[in-house]
Amino acid sequence: MEASKKLNNTPDLNGYFGEYGGTFVPDQLREILAEITDSYLQIREDPDFISELASLYRHYVGRPSPVYHAATLSKKLGGAGIYFKREDLNHTGAHKINHCLGEALLAKRMGKKKLIAETGAGQHGVALATAAAITGLACDIYMGTVDIEKEHPNVTRMKILGARVIPVSDGLATLKEAVDAAFRAYLEDPLTQFYAIGSVVGPHPFPMMVRDFQQVVGQEAIGQFTQLTGALPDNLVACVGGGSNAIGLFTAFLDEPSIKIYGVEPSGRGFKDGDHAATLSLGKPGIIHGFKCYLLQDEAGDPLPVHSIASGLDYPGVGPQHSYLKDLGRVRYETISDDEAVEAFFVLSRLEGIIPALESAHAVAFTIKLARTLARDKSILVNLSGRGDKDIDYVMKHYGRRYCPPNGYSWPMSTG
Ligand SMILES: *Cc1c(COP(=O)(O)O)cnc(C)c1O
């Protein structure tokens, strides 16, 4: 079939998914990226590399992560079967360790000595510091001083794991300034350092590479799900920030046209500029951080400020492959607000005993809406990208009065 051929051959040799992706960078960097691409394409075929990564996934991360039938939630919502791919049970608590280990092993095989990255809330920083520790590489994480103040537990984790956390106090002292600083440091010595991008974004080959490392999620799930139910899922759901956990689940299923696939973006506080990060729903094609994608941008093409209660989802761009899948109509991109995500956070906690990350709670919230429209014989497979330990203090501070009043627990979901 034409459409499935298109999906499986992406990206092309220049890193394009349809019109998206590519390499919009200065010449010096273009050469460095071409070298990384060549090394990666060789190394990914190397049986030693493949078995070393597979062994880490199995014995270190704890893969395969289970697929779990959420029977109580399914019943409550009308009977369609809801299943979770439990990436929250991975070592370090989310899917990010999958690509961080891949990138660290690749860097090591390329002879690099140090991993460099920026981090916002610290999730990518912690996963990368973990991968650096296990592979024996040095690790520098650039982080805005405002974020360092806000995300103390993750800063402490990175330090304990042996990473250097380098404070960035320029400008607003948050993620954007941290990206700029990390990038400057990388360009000073690209020979011994490796810039490890934290999602399926950035210039070629990163969207392809990070996707390849995350594919394990869907590859496992397809076998686990069919073994549990005797069939393929009817629907897939995952949250989309840059898009790595979503593409990781979706890739193995893209060829099955009968499966409906949903990516969930944050509509935050509403649809005014600066209040959301619903890039695919409201953005237009543009260029950010060296690649072309849907982008929330102003008249001049500069990225707009974004907001989500889930810091892993507030990025004004999105992976080029998602941009392409949207245009092809293969994946539908929907939105969930901050309040809906928090409600789903409590629903899953109280019905299933699983506290999800606020990012993953967006996927759960959309699943709750979708399940109510489905017949009992239909199924939904949801990527539960991470656990919510990191979010509990924030949620209690801002939503505790509503969901955990002192005289008893209020039930989060209308049962009607
Ligand atoms: C970082 C993060 C995300 C968002 O990143 P993607 O690349 O879109 O997957 C989602 N869930 C969790 C738990 C995260 O830590």
Side-chain angles (χ1 to χ4, degrees):
M1 211 186 93
E2 219 16 59
S4 86
K5 234 194 251 148
K6 271 204 251 174
L7 296 171
N8 275 329
N9 289 335
T10 59
D12 70 14
L13 287 175
N14 296 316
Y16 279 91
F17 302 82
E19 65 171 292
Y20 305 103
T23 314
F24 296 82
V25 298
D27 285 344
Q28 181 205 1
L29 190 55
R30 188 179 292 273
E31 274 171 43
I32 297 166
L33 288 165
E35 272 176 45
I36 296 176
T37 307
D38 288 346
S39 306
Y40 171 64
L41 291 176
Q42 271 178 25
I43 288 170
R44 79 168 175 186
E45 308 295 333
D46 175 357
D48 288 344
F49 175 78
I50 294 168
S51 73
E52 196 177 353
L53 187 56
S55 173
L56 282 174
Y57 280 171
R58 182 170 176 83
H59 302 290
Y60 184 72
V61 179
R63 308 206 66 87
S65 63
V67 167
Y68 166 71
H69 178 212
T72 311
L73 182 66
S74 303
K75 196 164 162 223
K76 193 104 187 165
L77 295 171
I82 299 172
Y83 296 80
F84 290 109
K85 178 63 172 162
R86 300 288 309 273
E87 292 298 295
D88 60 312
L89 294 178
N90 293 341
H91 176 47
T92 68
H95 70 290
K96 284 192 174 75
I97 192 71
N98 301 330
H99 62 246
C100 285
L101 283 173
E103 289 181 299
L105 272 193
L106 174 67
K108 198 164 178 192
R109 291 203 169 229
M110 290 175 70
K112 311 293 182 193
K113 304 286 178 241
K114 186 192 279 181
L115 299 172
I116 286 197
E118 77 287 341
T119 197
Q123 295 303 108
H124 177 50
V126 169
L128 195 66
T130 304
I134 187 77
T135 53
L137 293 167
C139 185
D140 282 357
I141 301 292
Y142 290 77
M143 193 168 181
T145 47
V146 169
D147 290 332
I148 287 178
E149 194 69 28
K150 257 167 59 184
E151 309 290 347
H152 232 269
N154 276 341
V155 175
T156 306
R157 283 185 191 103
M158 286 184 264
K159 289 181 177 170
I160 290 173
L161 289 162
R164 280 205 303 173
V165 179
I166 298 162
V168 179
S169 54
D170 316 332
L172 295 176
T174 59
L175 184 62
K176 183 185 171 297
E177 291 78 19
V179 175
D180 295 341
F183 217 71
R184 277 198 303 273
Y186 173 60
L187 286 182
E188 277 167 22
D189 184 8
L191 272 186
T192 70
Q193 307 185 110
F194 187 93
Y195 197 121
I197 291 184
S199 186
V200 283
V201 297
H204 183 59
F206 286 94
M208 168 179 76
M209 217 159 68
V210 171
R211 186 243 357 242
D212 292 354
F213 293 137
Q214 287 293 346
Q215 281 191 71
V216 64
V217 173
Q219 282 164 355
E220 287 173 7
I222 207 165
Q224 292 169 311
F225 190 90
T226 40
Q227 201 169 32
L228 267 176
T229 69
L232 287 170
D234 299 301
N235 301 275
L236 301 179
V237 178
C239 65
V240 177
S244 66
N245 88 86
I247 210 74
L249 177 67
F250 298 167
T251 299
F253 298 91
L254 287 172
D255 275 349
E256 296 290 338
S258 64
I259 301 177
K260 295 200 176 77
I261 307 183
Y262 299 93
V264 185
E265 300 190 304
S267 55
R269 296 180 291 245
F271 289 103
K272 284 210 304 280
D273 286 356
D275 279 350
H276 65 86
T279 307
L280 288 157
S281 306
L282 294 172
K284 295 203 174 58
I287 290 170
I288 182 174
H289 293 146
F291 70 107
K292 185 174 177 190
C293 63
Y294 275 84
L295 176 66
L296 294 168
Q297 54 189 306
D298 62 17
E299 305 277 293
D302 291 324
L304 287 167
V306 285
H307 162 83
S308 168
I309 193 171
S311 51
L313 302 183
D314 62 357
Y315 183 59
V318 67
Q321 192 172 359
H322 286 287
S323 303
Y324 184 48
L325 289 167
K326 173 189 162 79
D327 285 2
L328 288 177
R330 180 64 191 97
V331 178
R332 290 183 52 172
Y333 295 90
E334 305 277 350
T335 62
I336 284 294
S337 70
D338 286 353
D339 287 351
E340 289 172 321
V342 171
E343 171 130 328
F345 174 95
F346 281 101
V347 168
L348 197 66
S349 298
R350 290 183 184 170
L351 281 183
E352 298 288 348
I354 298 171
I355 303 176
L358 281 173
E359 290 82 3
S360 322
H362 285 71
V364 178
F366 178 73
T367 298
I368 290 172
K369 288 187 180 174
L370 179 64
R372 289 187 159 131
T373 70
L374 295 179
R376 298 176 55 113
D377 63 345
K378 296 295 181 192
S379 61
I380 311 174
L381 175 59
V382 188
N383 200 2
L384 205 66
S385 55
R387 60 175 162 246
D389 306 37
K390 66 185 178 60
D391 299 314
I392 54 177
D393 291 338
Y394 180 88
V395 168
M396 281 307 274
K397 183 165 169 213
H398 295 273
Y399 292 84
R401 264 216 304 201
R402 176 137 128 227
Y403 291 107
C404 308
N407 56 352
Y409 295 103
S410 68
W411 177 242
M413 185 168 59
S414 67
T415 47

